[in-house]
Amino acid sequence: MFGSMMDRPLLVSSLLEHAERQFGATEIVSRETGGALFRYTYRAAASRARRLAKALTRLGVAHGGRVATLAWNNHRHLEAYFAVSGSGAVLHTCNPRLHPEQLAYILNHAEDEVLMFDATFLPLVEAGAGHCPALRHFVLLGGPEDMPKESRVPGLICYEDLLAASDDDFAWPEFDERTASTLCYTSGTTGNPKGVLYSHRSTVLHSFALSVPDTLSLSAHDCVLPVVPMFHVNAWGIPYAAAMNGCKLVLPGPKLDGASLFQLMEDERVTCSAGVPTIWLSLAQYMEQHGLVPTTMKRTVVGGSAMPQAQIHTWTQRFGVEVRHAWGMTETSPLGTQGCLLPKHGAATIDEQCAQRAKQGRAVYGVEMRVVDADGNERPRDGKSAGELEVRGPWIAGAYFKGEAPALRNGWFPTGDIATIDADGYMQITDRVKDVIKSGGEWISSIDLENAAAGHPAVLMAAVIGARHPKWDERPVMFVVKKPGQDVDKAGIVAYLADKVAKWWLPDEVIFLDTLPLGATGKVQKVDLRREYANVLDCVA
Ligand code: ADP
């Protein structure tokens, strides 16, 4: 017997419609590509999104058609988020930092018909447009003043002209909630990028999960600033969840340096944020150098890679900002776990609490999680037994776009992460399968080593890879970027680590670099380090 409740579809357009009706006057602040701040409201954003939806329909974008964006976090990108998906087409957010060949590959693979882009990316589009035959329309996200005098892009359309020629007399269509809404490609560090195709249903359910108290805890009293780009797993779903909850939304545009972010947070009275650890590292450095402390920021979600415990300590103690460590991936929309404390941690010392927060956290409702051995058998939840992490749930990818590389194993998504889960459900990543260091048949966790090294007062960043070793197969090699004005040598690092990790984990080599190679989403690219340094221990007897 079925229940007798209404079967109303969960659609992305309903989020903006809700914001327009219930929080119409709430502000959205957006940093333009040129640097100026633009302000408007959910009411105005909704009206412009309807105009855009109507204009796209006139351009011939049909239900299921793909519209790509190459854009920063700004208000026009936000309008595209709702207009494209809301009209039944599929929004494909592209990472502009991808290699141009990879960019052309994903535009072709997605069969995008329209490309909407910020002026910053005009040269990239000019270079690549000819390689993407399916692209029929190019829209520059700006006003007439942003249009180039001359351009090699065929029939370049000005976004504001497109909207001016349209009107907002457009009703969001209703369709099956399982319809595709958004397409995001994995960064493709190994092989070609793979497309993850979210649905309206998965996006709305994910927004609920992001909003609850132990995740981002969003409400109409919040002002939320997603530093994580809108091209990186839909800014982790924040644009949708902000509309659901009527949060003031602050979009930082291209200015992500410490000074600009701090100023924006203070001026707009931001209460919560989200981004990868490297962003918080540079903001913390800026604030420390200038003796600043944020006055309105209460919490931030950090994910994408592990935030070391020492950094969590700095944010909590020095800046008074709660760090909520989260784990996820493109294939998980991305929210999988969150690292809030349990009541039993209330009596713990600050150090113990930070250690707990340095774990990747507990599964949010909607996500099931387990670790398995090489034969697919579930491993004990004892906080010690490591294995590959598998997840399943209504916002986890069941397959890749166009059916490439079957994603599931016995109905579970294999994440490629090695993890443990403890009796309280706290999951801790020790490594990615491809990063794990196998020394004499035993695993060494590169993340644990990096975490430990990051606590050294002279260390700004640390990364560890397995380098080939004639006797042990692989041994850890550590790369360190020193804090400005600080000094430390190999012996100092090894001595510091000696009482923090097992003796046989200590790195065989410590290499000091000016910077670490960062990938398109701000994560350390170990693949680049391996390419250059995999043989660095070859001469060891
Ligand atoms: P890519 O890093 O390949 O661009 P994703 O953005 O989907 O793709 O990254 C997902 C991966 O990032 C996860 O599989 C995991 O290895 C890593 N990751 C995400 N969050 C965390 C975290 N909080 N701690 C450690 N690793 C994380």
Side-chain angles (χ1 to χ4, degrees):
M1 183 164 61
F2 288 117
S4 51
M5 310 313 282
M6 290 187 197
D7 197 7
R8 299 285 299 144
L10 302 173
L11 298 178
V12 163
S13 55
S14 69
L15 297 168
L16 188 59
E17 258 188 328
H18 178 71
E20 182 179 19
R21 289 209 188 100
Q22 308 299 332
F23 311 104
T26 299
E27 232 184 350
I28 298 171
V29 181
S30 163
R31 171 91 63 195
E32 303 282 53
T33 306
L37 286 183
F38 172 85
R39 292 170 190 279
Y40 69 164
T41 60
Y42 277 109
R43 190 172 296 120
S47 162
R48 280 168 58 90
R50 284 196 297 274
R51 274 175 182 266
L52 175 58
K54 194 164 181 173
L56 289 171
T57 312
R58 284 187 182 150
L59 285 179
V61 178
H63 189 86
R66 265 82 78 196
V67 175
T69 56
L70 264 177
W72 302 111
N73 290 12
N74 59 40
H75 73 286
R76 295 186 181 101
H77 203 178
L78 184 75
E79 289 156 14
Y81 257 53
F82 290 102
V84 175
S85 307
S87 67
V90 179
L91 180 81
H92 172 202
T93 52
C94 301
N95 187 335
R97 299 187 193 119
L98 282 180
H99 190 277
E101 272 172 26
Q102 277 194 331
L103 191 57
Y105 170 85
I106 64 171
L107 288 166
N108 285 328
H109 189 267
E111 298 170 69
D112 293 312
E113 299 170 40
V114 180
L115 174 59
M116 306 172 79
F117 60 95
D118 280 335
T120 320
F121 307 116
L122 182 63
L124 190 59
V125 176
E126 285 184 323
H131 302 289
C132 305
L135 277 175
R136 291 188 287 118
H137 300 288
F138 297 86
V139 181
L140 189 136
L141 292 166
E145 66 286 0
D146 300 310
M147 293 296 280
K149 299 258 177 311
E150 280 177 14
S151 167
R152 284 190 280 130
V153 178
L156 185 59
I157 300 170
C158 167
Y159 182 82
E160 291 301 332
D161 288 351
L162 188 70
L163 258 57
S166 181
D167 63 64
D168 73 352
D169 183 15
F170 178 88
W172 298 113
E174 272 194 17
F175 39 76
D176 192 312
E177 65 183 16
R178 291 165 302 176
T179 302
S181 60
T182 326
L183 178 61
C184 249
Y185 281 77
T186 60
S187 63
T189 38
T190 48
N192 278 327
K194 296 190 284 291
V196 179
L197 192 60
Y198 309 105
S199 68
H200 285 258
R201 173 185 156 80
S202 72
T203 305
V204 173
L205 291 177
H206 181 264
S207 306
F208 279 118
L210 200 60
S211 308
V212 300
D214 273 351
T215 310
L216 247 188
S217 184
L218 293 179
S219 91
H221 298 271
D222 278 308
C223 173
V224 49
L225 183 154
V227 183
V228 50
M230 288 167 76
F231 54 76
H232 186 200
V233 211
N234 303 324
W236 300 348
I238 288 174
Y240 306 113
M244 177 182 263
N245 296 284
C247 311
K248 176 177 170 183
L249 185 60
V250 180
L251 301 169
K255 295 184 100 177
L256 303 179
D257 59 285
S260 306
L261 278 182
F262 183 78
Q263 193 70 43
L264 195 59
M265 283 174 171
E266 288 298 295
D267 291 351
E268 300 304 328
R269 307 190 58 74
V270 169
T271 57
C272 66
S273 188
V276 294
T278 42
I279 282 287
W280 304 119
L281 185 64
S282 66
L283 180 57
Q285 254 194 308
Y286 171 80
M287 292 192 293
E288 275 174 355
Q289 277 161 7
H290 294 83
L292 300 167
V293 170
T295 57
T296 58
M297 263 279 279
K298 295 192 188 114
R299 60 192 178 282
T300 184
V301 167
V302 181
S305 51
M307 186 183 238
Q309 188 181 330
Q311 258 192 69
I312 294 177
H313 198 275
T314 304
W315 277 91
T316 317
Q317 284 303 94
R318 180 161 181 162
F319 299 132
V321 175
E322 184 189 347
V323 171
R324 297 192 177 177
H325 209 173
W327 167 91
M329 50 200 310
T330 309
E331 291 90 335
T332 67
S333 294
L335 182 63
T337 66
Q338 56 74 25
C340 270
L341 300 181
L342 289 170
K344 71 181 206 181
H345 300 121
T349 64
I350 293 296
D351 282 348
E352 286 164 350
Q353 289 186 355
C354 289
Q356 195 63 29
R357 288 184 186 280
K359 297 181 178 174
Q360 279 66 24
R362 309 165 75 237
V364 298
Y365 171 75
V367 175
E368 292 172 81
M369 213 168 61
R370 64 180 194 179
V371 293
V372 296
D373 63 21
D375 299 323
N377 302 314
E378 184 168 356
R379 305 220 65 197
R381 294 177 175 245
D382 57 8
K384 290 196 281 285
S385 305
E388 183 171 0
L389 181 69
E390 293 186 333
V391 289
R392 66 180 181 190
W395 55 85
I396 311 291
Y400 288 107
F401 183 45
K402 295 188 172 174
E404 278 172 18
L408 301 191
R409 202 162 54 197
N410 304 321
W412 292 78
F413 178 78
T415 62
D417 284 332
I418 307 288
T420 58
I421 301 178
D422 71 15
D424 289 323
Y426 280 88
M427 184 270 284
Q428 187 163 19
I429 305 258
T430 52
D431 255 314
R432 289 184 129 179
V433 170
K434 58 180 192 270
D435 290 337
V436 84
I437 303 164
K438 291 187 203 82
S439 173
E442 300 278 349
W443 286 354
I444 294 176
S445 163
S446 64
I447 296 185
D448 282 359
L449 274 172
E450 290 157 6
N451 200 341
H456 189 288
V459 173
L460 183 64
M461 287 174 98
V464 176
I465 62 162
R468 269 204 349 231
H469 189 281
K471 181 164 173 207
W472 302 107
D473 286 342
E474 282 183 342
R475 288 293 302 155
V477 170
M478 180 173 278
F479 301 87
V480 168
V481 179
K482 291 184 233 177
K483 285 187 183 160
Q486 304 274 358
D487 204 14
V488 63
D489 59 7
K490 175 183 170 183
I493 296 283
V494 173
Y496 178 78
L497 293 174
D499 61 352
K500 297 179 179 60
V501 298
K503 190 161 176 280
W504 62 278
W505 281 33
L506 291 173
D508 282 27
E509 196 54 82
V510 179
I511 297 174
F512 294 89
L513 299 176
D514 291 339
T515 54
L516 291 176
L518 296 184
T521 52
K523 306 188 198 188
V524 174
Q525 291 303 93
K526 293 196 182 175
V527 70
D528 291 351
L529 292 172
R530 271 195 293 267
R531 197 175 298 128
E532 196 162 342
Y533 296 98
N535 302 331
V536 76
L537 302 178
D538 269 2
C539 51
V540 180

